[in-house]
Amino acid sequence: MTVSSAPGKVYLFGEHAVVYGEPAVPCAIERRARVTAEPRDDDHVRVEAVDLSLDGFTVEWAESTKDRPDVDVPSSLVEAAMGYIEEAVAQARDALDDHDAGFDITVESDIPLGGGLGSSAAVVVAAIDAAVRSRDQRIDPRELANRAYQAEHTVQEGQASRADTFCSAMGGAVRVEGDDTRAIDAPELPLVVGYDGGAGDTAELVAAVRELRERYEFAADTVETIGDITRRGETLLADADPGEKPDGALLQELGELMDFNHGLLSALGVSSRSLDTMVWAARDAGAAGAKLTGAGGGGCMVAVDDTDSTQSALGYTPDCAQTFRAELATEGVRAEE
Ligand code: PMV
């Protein structure tokens, strides 16, 4: 039995704008997807999902998930999850140079599905790693990040940046600008996540921003301004002591940039009432700043606050289904067994 895990992430800055070549800074958090892979003698793939924030399910297929036998969970989230796993298996087979390799795969995740915390990237990264290692081969994190990106790119029909997959494979804070991906130093940020229990449709939201950007020059300018905020945020992070708590002034300035970033994402139409409500609850509670994270439309927001006030305020916010403090995950993908 081979088990790999990979972390989810929050975006400190730059989601959506990263799709158009602007930089983004995601940061891995200690919420992980764990994938177990066991080689099979035939070329079938059997997937068991124990907990993807929905009921568990099992799917087995020979050629493709499209030809699979009936499953009694026709949810679009299940369809999407299967698409990611099918592409992860295709990448693992390619890395192994064995296009008939079969696997029994089990997925467990404590990252809400579709909530903007990079659940699909974490599952894809951990699945490729576990499948390859289950056949006694190794894959280095950069190749893994690249293969996971190819998998996401296929499932999301070209609407994917390298941000999620690179961050999940490498861990820590990273900077992504087009094909340029690198790890960056980051201080120990006091991140608080609020989750509304829902999910946004990434492909749909990306397409809507693309359309706005093509229609209005000021929407294109908004995307560029998000890039400026990210660049400013990066210099702030670079000035802080890596791994140490940042001082109050730095936290305030980072928070201000996050607030600004949220406002622009909202202008681009990717926030939602529940995300805005949670962002305002955090600000009212004294957070240095707050923004949605990921594609938006519902799901998660992230705030910076080194006191307990934001978490406690979110706990009393009806739109918030779950709130937790998110520790930076310094380790990316890792072997669990
Ligand atoms: O919601 P998530 O975790 O899938 O993040 C999407 C981030 C986008 O910038 C909107 C798209 C992308 O691939 O970078």
Side-chain angles (χ1 to χ4, degrees):
M1 197 171 73
T2 308
V3 188
S4 297
S5 79
K9 58 102 228 322
V10 294
Y11 274 92
L12 294 178
F13 305 107
E15 56 272 87
H16 283 286
V18 69
V19 176
Y20 310 99
E22 298 295 338
V25 176
C27 156
I29 58 167
E30 270 312 334
R31 284 254 152 169
R32 289 184 169 260
R34 271 167 298 279
V35 176
T36 305
E38 189 106 47
R40 289 174 66 114
D41 295 334
D42 58 19
D43 63 357
H44 288 206
V45 177
R46 180 176 187 277
V47 178
E48 192 176 340
V50 181
D51 176 17
L52 292 179
S53 307
L54 35 90
D55 292 340
F57 60 90
T58 302
V59 178
E60 180 169 338
W61 75 88
E63 288 288 314
S64 145
T65 48
K66 292 172 193 70
D67 310 322
R68 70 185 191 218
D70 281 350
V71 228
D72 54 359
V73 199
S75 143
S76 63
L77 280 179
V78 174
E79 297 294 330
M82 293 318 298
Y84 285 110
I85 292 167
E86 185 175 11
E87 284 310 316
V89 168
Q91 286 295 331
R93 285 174 167 166
D94 195 58
L96 291 163
D97 204 13
D98 178 356
H99 294 272
D100 297 319
F103 300 95
D104 282 336
I105 287 180
T106 307
V107 182
E108 287 170 82
S109 175
D110 42 43
I111 310 166
L113 204 63
L117 298 184
S119 55
S120 57
V123 168
V124 169
V125 165
I128 300 174
D129 191 63
V132 169
R133 287 196 309 111
S134 74
R135 290 186 178 261
D136 297 324
Q137 296 203 30
R138 291 278 173 280
I139 179 164
D140 81 61
R142 281 195 174 260
E143 186 194 340
L144 178 59
N146 189 40
R147 287 194 176 276
Y149 164 67
Q150 303 300 340
E152 278 218 331
H153 196 263
T154 306
V155 182
Q156 291 170 206
E157 296 172 351
Q159 315 262 30
S161 73
R162 292 181 178 272
D164 281 22
T165 39
F166 184 72
C167 186
S168 186
M170 306 304 284
V174 304
R175 175 193 204 273
V176 174
E177 183 171 2
D179 288 339
D180 181 43
T181 49
R182 54 188 75 184
I184 59 171
D185 286 332
E188 182 63 58
L189 293 172
L191 303 173
V192 180
V193 171
Y195 171 44
D196 68 5
D201 181 327
T202 301
E204 221 171 77
L205 290 152
V206 170
V209 171
R210 185 180 298 278
E211 210 229 308
L212 265 187
R213 200 176 149 266
E214 279 160 13
R215 190 140 52 102
Y216 299 116
E217 211 176 304
F218 51 79
D221 293 345
T222 303
V223 168
E224 276 180 34
T225 307
I226 292 177
D228 293 338
I229 292 174
T230 305
R231 280 181 279 270
R232 183 73 179 252
E234 275 179 75
T235 56
L236 282 181
L237 292 174
D239 284 346
D241 292 328
E244 302 284 318
K245 286 200 163 88
D247 65 40
L250 183 87
L251 214 55
Q252 283 306 321
E253 209 177 328
L254 272 174
E256 210 164 271
L257 294 178
M258 288 169 71
D259 283 344
F260 220 119
N261 196 160
H262 180 77
L264 296 182
L265 287 167
S266 194
L268 291 172
V270 298
S271 191
S272 70
R273 190 179 287 266
S274 55
L275 289 171
D276 284 343
T277 304
M278 292 191 290
V279 161
W280 275 106
R283 289 175 185 163
D284 286 346
K291 63 183 278 295
L292 67 84
T293 175
C300 294
M301 50 70 75
V302 58
V304 281
D305 184 1
D306 54 8
T307 73
D308 293 335
S309 305
T310 294
Q311 217 183 328
S312 126
L314 285 171
Y316 288 107
T317 303
D319 277 315
C320 180
Q322 206 189 330
T323 175
F324 56 90
R325 204 167 257 296
E327 305 281 330
L328 179 79
T330 48
E331 253 184 313
V333 65
R334 71 175 179 227
E336 299 286 347
E337 271 178 61

